[in-house]
Amino acid sequence: MMNNQKKVDEGLEYVKNAEKSLKTSFMKWRPDYESAAEQYNKAATCFRNAKSFDQCRDALLKAADCHKQNRAIFYAAKALDQAILVSKELGDLRNVGELANRAANMFQSHGSAESATSTLDKAGKILEAQYPEDALKLFQRAADISQDQDSVRQSAEFMSKVARIHVKLKEYELAADAIRRELGLREQSESYQAAGRLAVALVLVHIARGDIVAAERAFKEWGNYCEAPEVQCLEMLLQAYDEEDPEAAKAALSNPFIKHMDVEYTILARDLPLPEQTLPVINPVVAATSVGGGSVDASSSKADADSGQGNEEDFEEGGLC
């Protein structure tokens, strides 16, 4: 405890030195941003060692601002990247998405696209459990940057995360769009085995949407990338829904292949509504006769109906007289 306080005091001393560097005077017209950034970085290290993460993050943000003012964009982005990790330690994730986007902008301005996607990925993983919508946006941007840099495989990995979050949020229309984009990227990078697994995922998502026609269309379009067990599973599944056979659908969804997919798709398959068999329509006249235990000739039934109709007409003509 004493050692932690000592480190905090040391960090505060560095903060004072940084503030002095930023002051101007009659003989010093411009703040010394470079020295201030260095002092803030040293302060952040002291605060981190003392586990005073709030002060650590504050020092890092000030260091980032000083680097930016000094046009040291890469180092400013690095300071923001560290602030993201400190926010995780604090358990305060409210501004993680904003910090990640700011850092990514700076890395891109510096020409460091790989560092930009790394920061977005890191922040997305931190946010995914508590703030999946924010994480989704970060992964989406990382996918776009990777694709712009012709990193097709990496872009596909980020789109995979986007699709799975959409599934988790039950946003099946958006999930289908993300899977189709990922399929295109997997095809482009010749990752055919991964494309086969995605074809199964796309069919499951369309079934979750309640669109069996789209599910069949997806199988026809992408099923050629599936291996034999996957094809057999999908054919059985689609036939079960087409024939409204809940037992066959349940058996297909229990396939070991589906159970070993990414957890989001496994849960989706587990929770899919099974098809309902359409009950045959029962003739009410026959049903009533069956209850009485006898049978009625069709011609006599017709005659009774005609007789009833005639009585009703006579009643209408004669009135109450």
Side-chain angles (χ1 to χ4, degrees):
M1 195 71 178
M2 287 283 292
N3 191 43
N4 283 352
Q5 187 56 51
K6 187 177 179 181
K7 282 293 181 184
V8 169
D9 292 339
E10 186 180 349
L12 290 172
E13 194 61 36
Y14 284 125
V15 169
K16 287 180 182 178
N17 293 337
E19 290 170 350
K20 287 179 183 177
S21 298
L22 293 175
K23 287 181 179 178
T24 57
S25 64
F26 181 72
M27 300 296 293
K28 182 188 172 188
W29 293 357
R30 188 177 183 275
D32 187 350
Y33 291 114
E34 184 177 356
S35 296
E38 183 181 351
Q39 294 297 312
Y40 279 129
N41 278 327
K42 289 180 179 179
T45 301
C46 290
F47 293 139
R48 184 185 289 111
N49 292 336
K51 300 190 184 305
S52 180
F53 297 117
D54 205 353
Q55 289 175 295
C56 177
R57 182 174 60 181
D58 187 56
L60 286 168
L61 294 177
K62 288 178 178 177
D65 187 56
C66 289
H67 281 307
K68 184 179 177 182
Q69 293 290 343
N70 199 42
R71 297 183 182 179
I73 302 300
F74 181 81
Y75 292 108
K78 289 289 288 183
L80 293 175
D81 185 74
Q82 292 179 50
I84 291 170
L85 294 177
V86 175
S87 294
K88 180 185 175 183
E89 293 292 340
L90 269 172
D92 181 7
L93 308 182
R94 292 169 298 173
N95 297 322
V96 165
E98 179 194 348
L99 292 173
N101 278 311
R102 285 175 58 194
N105 288 339
M106 291 179 182
F107 279 130
Q108 281 189 285
S109 297
H110 187 265
S112 304
E114 188 175 342
S115 296
T117 56
S118 176
T119 294
L120 292 167
D121 185 35
K122 182 191 305 176
K125 289 174 181 175
I126 291 171
L127 290 172
E128 189 170 356
Q130 286 184 252
Y131 302 99
E133 295 91 347
D134 294 338
L136 193 150
K137 294 174 185 175
L138 297 178
F139 290 137
Q140 179 74 63
R141 184 178 176 191
D144 293 341
I145 294 173
S146 296
Q147 192 167 4
D148 289 343
Q149 296 296 315
D150 294 326
S151 300
V152 180
R153 286 180 182 272
Q154 189 180 41
S155 182
E157 290 299 321
F158 288 127
M159 282 311 301
S160 174
K161 295 178 181 182
V162 170
R164 285 186 275 117
I165 292 176
H166 279 310
V167 169
K168 187 177 179 180
L169 295 173
K170 298 185 178 358
E171 298 172 345
Y172 299 129
E173 192 80 41
L174 296 172
D177 292 341
I179 292 172
R180 278 193 292 267
R181 179 176 169 185
E182 185 187 352
L183 272 164
L185 293 167
R186 297 293 185 189
E187 187 178 45
Q188 192 176 339
S189 63
E190 300 182 354
S191 303
Y192 301 129
Q193 189 175 12
R197 290 194 298 270
L198 278 174
V200 179
L202 185 57
V203 168
L204 292 175
V205 167
H206 280 312
I207 292 175
R209 291 178 55 235
D211 193 340
I212 305 303
V213 173
E216 292 173 346
R217 193 184 305 122
F219 176 54
K220 288 177 183 176
E221 184 178 0
W222 300 101
N224 58 313
Y225 290 122
C226 296
E227 296 180 359
E230 298 166 5
V231 171
Q232 186 178 6
C233 174
L234 288 179
E235 286 177 343
M236 181 180 176
L237 180 63
L238 291 170
Q239 184 177 355
Y241 275 90
D242 188 53
E243 296 177 356
E244 298 179 332
D245 186 342
E247 291 303 317
K250 190 174 181 180
L253 292 169
S254 300
N255 189 292
F257 165 75
I258 290 180
K259 288 188 174 181
H260 288 88
M261 293 178 71
D262 288 322
V263 63
E264 290 83 3
Y265 296 120
T266 301
I267 293 172
L268 175 66
R270 183 197 69 190
D271 296 340
L272 277 182
L274 297 175
E276 296 180 4
Q277 288 181 320
T278 305
L279 296 175
V281 178
I282 300 174
N283 189 318
V285 174
V286 175
T289 305
S290 299
V291 172
S295 60
V296 179
D297 182 70
S299 59
S300 63
S301 297
K302 185 177 186 304
D304 290 343
D306 293 342
S307 174
Q309 185 177 358
N311 291 338
E312 184 176 344
E313 290 173 355
D314 292 342
F315 178 78
E316 288 176 354
E317 289 175 4
L320 295 174
C321 298

